[in-house]
Protein backbone atom coordinates (compact mmCIF):
# COMPACT_ATOMS: atom_id res chain seq x y z
CA UNK A 1 0.00 0.00 0.00
CA UNK A 2 1.48 3.32 -1.06
CA UNK A 3 0.92 6.12 1.43
CA UNK A 4 0.96 9.03 -1.00
CA UNK A 5 -1.03 8.51 -4.20
CA UNK A 6 -4.68 7.92 -3.23
CA UNK A 7 -5.50 6.52 -6.68
CA UNK A 8 -3.22 3.54 -6.13
CA UNK A 9 -5.22 2.49 -3.05
CA UNK A 10 -8.62 2.62 -4.72
CA UNK A 11 -10.06 -0.47 -6.39
CA UNK A 12 -13.16 -0.94 -8.49
CA UNK A 13 -15.27 -4.00 -7.67
CA UNK A 14 -17.77 -5.15 -10.31
CA UNK A 15 -20.34 -7.55 -8.87
CA UNK A 16 -21.89 -10.26 -11.08
CA UNK A 17 -21.44 -8.32 -14.30
CA UNK A 18 -23.37 -9.87 -17.16
CA UNK A 19 -21.60 -8.42 -20.20
CA UNK A 20 -17.92 -8.59 -20.99
CA UNK A 21 -18.35 -5.34 -22.92
CA UNK A 22 -19.22 -3.50 -19.73
CA UNK A 23 -16.13 -4.88 -18.02
CA UNK A 24 -13.97 -3.75 -20.95
CA UNK A 25 -15.53 -0.28 -21.00
CA UNK A 26 -15.21 0.03 -17.21
CA UNK A 27 -11.52 -0.93 -17.45
CA UNK A 28 -10.98 1.73 -20.10
CA UNK A 29 -12.67 4.37 -17.92
CA UNK A 30 -10.48 3.35 -14.98
CA UNK A 31 -7.34 3.52 -17.09
CA UNK A 32 -8.27 7.00 -18.32
CA UNK A 33 -8.69 8.18 -14.74
CA UNK A 34 -5.60 6.56 -13.23
CA UNK A 35 -7.26 3.68 -11.37
CA UNK A 36 -5.43 0.36 -11.71
CA UNK A 37 -7.07 -2.25 -9.51
CA UNK A 38 -10.06 -4.15 -10.86
CA UNK A 39 -11.83 -6.89 -8.90
CA UNK A 40 -14.54 -9.06 -10.44
CA UNK A 41 -17.10 -10.92 -8.35
CA UNK A 42 -18.61 -13.90 -10.26
CA UNK A 43 -18.70 -12.26 -13.70
CA UNK A 44 -20.95 -14.15 -16.14
CA UNK A 45 -18.51 -13.44 -18.97
CA UNK A 46 -15.47 -11.24 -19.17
CA UNK A 47 -12.50 -11.79 -21.45
CA UNK A 48 -14.50 -12.03 -24.69
CA UNK A 49 -14.28 -10.13 -27.97
CA UNK A 50 -16.68 -7.41 -26.83
CA UNK A 51 -14.59 -6.88 -23.70
CA UNK A 52 -11.35 -6.60 -25.67
CA UNK A 53 -12.90 -4.23 -28.20
CA UNK A 54 -14.20 -1.83 -25.56
CA UNK A 55 -11.16 -2.04 -23.28
CA UNK A 56 -8.63 -1.13 -25.98
CA UNK A 57 -5.28 -0.51 -24.32
CA UNK A 58 -6.84 -1.02 -20.90
CA UNK A 59 -7.08 -4.77 -21.57
CA UNK A 60 -4.07 -5.32 -19.27
CA UNK A 61 -6.20 -4.11 -16.43
CA UNK A 62 -8.75 -6.84 -17.21
CA UNK A 63 -6.04 -9.47 -17.57
CA UNK A 64 -4.68 -8.61 -14.15
CA UNK A 65 -8.14 -8.38 -12.52
CA UNK A 66 -8.67 -10.57 -9.47
CA UNK A 67 -11.73 -12.83 -9.56
CA UNK A 68 -13.77 -13.70 -6.45
CA UNK A 69 -16.90 -15.68 -5.83
CA UNK A 70 -18.49 -13.34 -3.27
CA UNK A 71 -18.39 -9.64 -2.41
CA UNK A 72 -17.30 -10.57 1.14
CA UNK A 73 -14.16 -12.20 -0.24
CA UNK A 74 -13.47 -9.33 -2.61
CA UNK A 75 -13.55 -6.62 0.06
CA UNK A 76 -12.29 -8.55 3.06
CA UNK A 77 -9.06 -6.55 3.21
CA UNK A 78 -10.53 -3.20 2.22
CA UNK A 79 -10.83 -0.51 4.89
CA UNK A 80 -13.52 1.58 3.28
CA UNK A 81 -16.30 0.08 1.15
CA UNK A 82 -18.39 2.43 -0.98
CA UNK A 83 -21.56 1.19 -2.69
CA UNK A 84 -23.10 2.76 -5.78
CA UNK A 85 -26.80 2.79 -6.47
CA UNK A 86 -29.19 4.56 -8.81
CA UNK A 87 -31.82 6.90 -7.40
CA UNK A 88 -34.44 4.32 -8.32
CA UNK A 89 -33.04 1.98 -5.71
CA UNK A 90 -32.80 4.53 -2.92
CA UNK A 91 -34.60 3.31 0.11
CA UNK A 92 -34.14 3.03 3.83
CA UNK A 93 -32.47 5.74 5.80
CA UNK A 94 -28.85 5.34 4.71
CA UNK A 95 -27.56 8.70 3.59
CA UNK A 96 -26.75 8.92 -0.11
CA UNK A 97 -23.83 11.05 -1.28
CA UNK A 98 -23.10 12.51 -4.69
CA UNK A 99 -19.79 11.55 -6.31
CA UNK A 100 -18.66 15.17 -5.99
CA UNK A 101 -19.31 15.20 -2.25
CA UNK A 102 -17.67 11.84 -1.77
CA UNK A 103 -14.55 12.26 -3.92
CA UNK A 104 -12.47 14.51 -1.59
CA UNK A 105 -13.20 12.30 1.41
CA UNK A 106 -12.34 9.26 -0.64
CA UNK A 107 -8.99 10.74 -1.63
CA UNK A 108 -8.29 11.51 2.02
CA UNK A 109 -9.00 7.91 2.94
CA UNK A 110 -6.99 6.70 -0.06
CA UNK A 111 -3.78 8.20 1.32
CA UNK A 112 -3.46 5.41 3.87
CA UNK A 113 -6.52 3.17 3.56
CA UNK A 114 -7.65 0.67 0.97
CA UNK A 115 -10.86 1.89 -0.62
CA UNK A 116 -13.27 -0.22 -2.72
CA UNK A 117 -15.87 1.24 -5.07
CA UNK A 118 -18.56 -1.38 -5.59
CA UNK A 119 -20.83 -1.55 -8.66
CA UNK A 120 -23.80 -3.89 -9.14
CA UNK A 121 -25.04 -6.10 -11.98
CA UNK A 122 -26.55 -4.40 -15.02
CA UNK A 123 -30.16 -5.31 -14.51
CA UNK A 124 -30.67 -5.71 -10.81
CA UNK A 125 -28.01 -3.54 -9.17
CA UNK A 126 -26.56 -4.30 -5.73
CA UNK A 127 -28.79 -6.23 -3.31
CA UNK A 128 -29.83 -4.85 0.08
CA UNK A 129 -27.34 -7.22 1.70
CA UNK A 130 -24.54 -5.83 -0.51
CA UNK A 131 -25.54 -2.25 0.28
CA UNK A 132 -25.67 -3.01 4.01
CA UNK A 133 -21.94 -3.87 3.89
CA UNK A 134 -21.07 -0.46 2.52
CA UNK A 135 -20.05 2.36 4.82
CA UNK A 136 -21.04 4.98 2.29
CA UNK A 137 -23.51 4.99 -0.59
CA UNK A 138 -23.04 7.10 -3.69
CA UNK A 139 -25.62 7.93 -6.32
CA UNK A 140 -24.97 9.88 -9.50
CA UNK A 141 -27.62 12.58 -9.87
CA UNK A 142 -29.54 12.02 -13.10
CA UNK A 143 -32.88 12.74 -14.71
CA UNK A 144 -35.74 11.34 -12.60
CA UNK A 145 -37.17 9.91 -15.82
CA UNK A 146 -33.99 7.95 -16.48
CA UNK A 147 -31.78 7.74 -13.38
CA UNK A 148 -29.98 4.49 -14.23
CA UNK A 149 -26.64 4.86 -16.02
CA UNK A 150 -24.82 2.22 -17.99
CA UNK A 151 -22.48 0.38 -15.61
CA UNK A 152 -19.23 1.49 -17.29
CA UNK A 153 -20.44 5.08 -17.54
CA UNK A 154 -21.21 5.05 -13.83
CA UNK A 155 -17.64 3.84 -13.23
CA UNK A 156 -16.36 6.71 -15.38
CA UNK A 157 -18.30 9.38 -13.49
CA UNK A 158 -17.03 8.17 -10.12
CA UNK A 159 -13.45 7.78 -11.37
CA UNK A 160 -13.52 11.23 -13.00
CA UNK A 161 -14.68 12.95 -9.82
CA UNK A 162 -11.90 11.24 -7.89
CA UNK A 163 -9.28 12.07 -10.52
CA UNK A 164 -10.15 15.77 -10.52
CA UNK A 165 -9.90 16.26 -6.74
CA UNK A 166 -7.11 18.65 -5.86
CA UNK A 167 -4.28 17.07 -3.89
CA UNK A 168 -5.64 16.78 -0.37
CA UNK A 169 -4.07 19.00 2.27
CA UNK A 170 -4.88 17.50 5.64
CA UNK A 171 -3.42 14.29 6.95
CA UNK A 172 -5.32 11.05 7.30
CA UNK A 173 -2.68 8.55 8.10
CA UNK A 174 -4.10 6.34 10.85
CA UNK A 175 -5.03 2.81 9.92
CA UNK A 176 -8.68 1.80 9.77
CA UNK A 177 -10.10 -1.67 10.44
CA UNK A 178 -10.64 -3.92 7.43
CA UNK A 179 -14.01 -5.19 6.25
CA UNK A 180 -13.09 -8.68 7.48
CA UNK A 181 -12.38 -7.35 10.98
CA UNK A 182 -15.65 -5.41 11.01
CA UNK A 183 -17.64 -8.47 9.84
CA UNK A 184 -16.25 -10.54 12.74
CA UNK A 185 -17.30 -7.77 15.13
CA UNK A 186 -20.81 -7.54 13.64
CA UNK A 187 -21.17 -11.33 13.90
CA UNK A 188 -20.18 -11.19 17.62
CA UNK A 189 -22.52 -8.29 18.19
CA UNK A 190 -25.48 -9.94 16.52
CA UNK A 191 -24.97 -13.18 18.49
CA UNK A 192 -24.73 -11.39 21.85
CA UNK A 193 -27.54 -8.92 21.19
CA UNK A 194 -29.88 -11.75 20.20
CA UNK A 195 -28.77 -13.68 23.28
CA UNK A 196 -29.63 -10.83 25.68
CA UNK A 197 -32.95 -10.19 23.93
CA UNK A 198 -32.02 -6.81 22.47
CA UNK A 199 -32.40 -8.11 18.92
CA UNK A 200 -35.31 -10.21 17.76
CA UNK A 201 -33.86 -13.58 16.76
CA UNK A 202 -36.43 -13.84 13.95
CA UNK A 203 -35.47 -10.52 12.42
CA UNK A 204 -32.09 -9.27 13.64
CA UNK A 205 -31.25 -7.57 10.31
CA UNK A 206 -33.44 -4.53 10.74
CA UNK A 207 -31.62 -3.09 13.77
CA UNK A 208 -28.26 -4.61 12.72
CA UNK A 209 -28.39 -2.53 9.52
CA UNK A 210 -28.74 0.65 11.60
CA UNK A 211 -25.87 -0.43 13.83
CA UNK A 212 -23.75 -1.15 10.74
CA UNK A 213 -24.65 2.26 9.39
CA UNK A 214 -23.61 4.35 12.37
CA UNK A 215 -20.55 2.25 13.16
CA UNK A 216 -19.70 2.48 9.46
CA UNK A 217 -19.45 6.24 9.82
CA UNK A 218 -17.24 6.00 12.88
CA UNK A 219 -13.91 5.28 11.09
CA UNK A 220 -13.21 2.36 13.44
CA UNK A 221 -9.55 1.41 13.83
CA UNK A 222 -8.45 -2.21 14.46
CA UNK A 223 -8.10 -1.26 18.16
CA UNK A 224 -11.67 0.13 18.27
CA UNK A 225 -12.90 -3.15 16.80
CA UNK A 226 -10.96 -5.14 19.40
CA UNK A 227 -12.50 -3.02 22.19
CA UNK A 228 -16.03 -3.59 20.89
CA UNK A 229 -15.40 -7.33 20.49
CA UNK A 230 -13.96 -7.42 24.01
CA UNK A 231 -17.07 -5.66 25.28
CA UNK A 232 -19.26 -8.26 23.59
CA UNK A 233 -17.33 -11.20 25.00
CA UNK A 234 -17.56 -9.67 28.50
CA UNK A 235 -21.34 -9.35 28.08
CA UNK A 236 -21.46 -12.97 26.92
CA UNK A 237 -19.44 -14.07 29.94
CA UNK A 238 -21.58 -12.04 32.37
CA UNK A 239 -24.86 -13.29 30.91
CA UNK A 240 -23.56 -16.85 31.08
CA UNK A 241 -22.89 -16.50 34.81
CA UNK A 242 -26.22 -14.86 35.66
CA UNK A 243 -28.50 -16.91 33.49
CA UNK A 244 -31.18 -18.69 35.50
CA UNK A 245 -30.54 -22.45 35.47
CA UNK A 246 -33.74 -23.18 33.52
CA UNK A 247 -32.61 -21.10 30.50
N1 LIG B 1 -31.97 -1.57 -11.75
C1 LIG B 1 -30.65 -1.33 -11.24
C2 LIG B 1 -29.74 -1.02 -12.40
C3 LIG B 1 -28.35 -1.27 -12.10
S1 LIG B 1 -27.28 -0.48 -13.22
C4 LIG B 1 -30.69 -0.16 -10.27
O1 LIG B 1 -31.64 0.60 -10.29
O2 LIG B 1 -29.77 0.00 -9.46
C5 LIG B 1 -25.76 -1.27 -12.79
C6 LIG B 1 -24.91 -0.55 -11.81
O3 LIG B 1 -24.48 0.71 -12.35
C7 LIG B 1 -25.54 -0.19 -10.47
O4 LIG B 1 -25.59 -1.28 -9.59
C8 LIG B 1 -24.58 0.90 -10.00
O5 LIG B 1 -23.41 0.29 -9.53
C9 LIG B 1 -24.27 1.63 -11.30
N2 LIG B 1 -25.19 2.76 -11.51
C10 LIG B 1 -26.12 2.91 -12.46
N3 LIG B 1 -26.75 4.10 -12.34
C11 LIG B 1 -26.17 4.73 -11.29
C12 LIG B 1 -26.37 5.99 -10.64
N4 LIG B 1 -27.27 6.88 -11.07
N5 LIG B 1 -25.59 6.28 -9.59
C13 LIG B 1 -24.65 5.42 -9.13
N6 LIG B 1 -24.44 4.22 -9.69
C14 LIG B 1 -25.18 3.87 -10.76
Amino acid sequence: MEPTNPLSNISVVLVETQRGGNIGAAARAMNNMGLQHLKLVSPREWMNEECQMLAGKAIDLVTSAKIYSTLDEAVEEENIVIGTTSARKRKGSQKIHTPREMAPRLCEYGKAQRVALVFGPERSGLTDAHLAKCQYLVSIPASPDSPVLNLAQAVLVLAYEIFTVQPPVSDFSFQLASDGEREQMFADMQRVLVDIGFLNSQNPDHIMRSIRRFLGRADLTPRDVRILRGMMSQVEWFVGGHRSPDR
Side-chain angles (χ1 to χ4, degrees), residues 53-91:
M53 195 176 82
L54 285 156
K57 289 191 187 124
I59 197 68
D60 290 351
L61 223 139
V62 184
T63 317
S64 58
K66 295 202 181 101
I67 318 282
Y68 302 86
S69 50
T70 64
L71 178 61
D72 274 295
E73 288 165 25
V75 301
E76 191 179 358
E77 293 183 350
E78 304 285 345
N79 303 106
I80 296 288
V81 182
I82 318 254
T84 56
T85 178
S86 71
R88 188 171 292 170
K89 276 240 168 168
R90 276 182 210 184
K91 57 177 174 190

Side-chain angles (χ1 to χ4, degrees), residues 60-239:
D60 290 351
L61 223 139
V62 184
T63 317
S64 58
K66 295 202 181 101
I67 318 282
Y68 302 86
S69 50
T70 64
L71 178 61
D72 274 295
E73 288 165 25
V75 301
E76 191 179 358
E77 293 183 350
E78 304 285 345
N79 303 106
I80 296 288
V81 182
I82 318 254
T84 56
T85 178
S86 71
R88 188 171 292 170
K89 276 240 168 168
R90 276 182 210 184
K91 57 177 174 190
S93 46
Q94 191 158 4
K95 184 171 166 29
I96 310 260
H97 301 268
T98 63
R100 196 155 293 171
E101 257 166 27
M102 205 56 221
R105 190 183 309 199
L106 230 145
C107 290
E108 273 306 304
Y109 280 131
K111 283 163 105 187
Q113 315 296 330
R114 295 174 58 135
V115 178
L117 298 173
V118 185
F119 295 84
E122 290 89 336
R123 247 163 277 144
S124 49
L126 294 170
T127 63
D128 287 348
H130 289 149
L131 294 173
K133 281 185 72 60
C134 300
Q135 289 141 291
Y136 296 96
L137 293 186
V138 177
S139 191
I140 301 163
S143 161
D145 298 333
S146 181
V148 182
L149 277 75
N150 162 267
L151 171 60
Q153 293 176 343
V155 171
L156 177 63
V157 172
L158 264 287
Y160 169 78
E161 289 293 347
I162 293 164
F163 185 75
T164 52
V165 168
Q166 298 299 312
V169 276
S170 59
D171 190 24
F172 197 108
S173 52
F174 60 87
Q175 187 60 42
L176 295 185
S178 67
D179 180 75
E181 290 168 314
R182 282 192 298 267
E183 288 300 336
Q184 288 174 340
M185 173 190 74
F186 289 131
D188 284 357
M189 229 174 233
Q190 177 160 335
R191 197 182 57 247
V192 172
L193 295 180
V194 165
D195 200 29
I196 63 172
F198 180 78
L199 291 180
N200 177 348
S201 60
Q202 302 307 312
N203 181 20
D205 287 355
H206 180 61
I207 302 289
M208 272 314 289
R209 291 218 169 119
S210 299
I211 295 177
R212 280 171 172 278
R213 196 157 56 232
F214 64 71
L215 287 178
R217 287 196 304 265
D219 284 343
L220 297 178
T221 64
R223 180 166 187 272
D224 298 335
V225 166
R226 282 198 300 276
I227 292 174
L228 283 165
R229 292 190 75 189
M231 210 186 273
M232 290 299 130
S233 66
Q234 183 73 18
V235 170
E236 215 160 30
W237 173 83
F238 187 84
V239 170

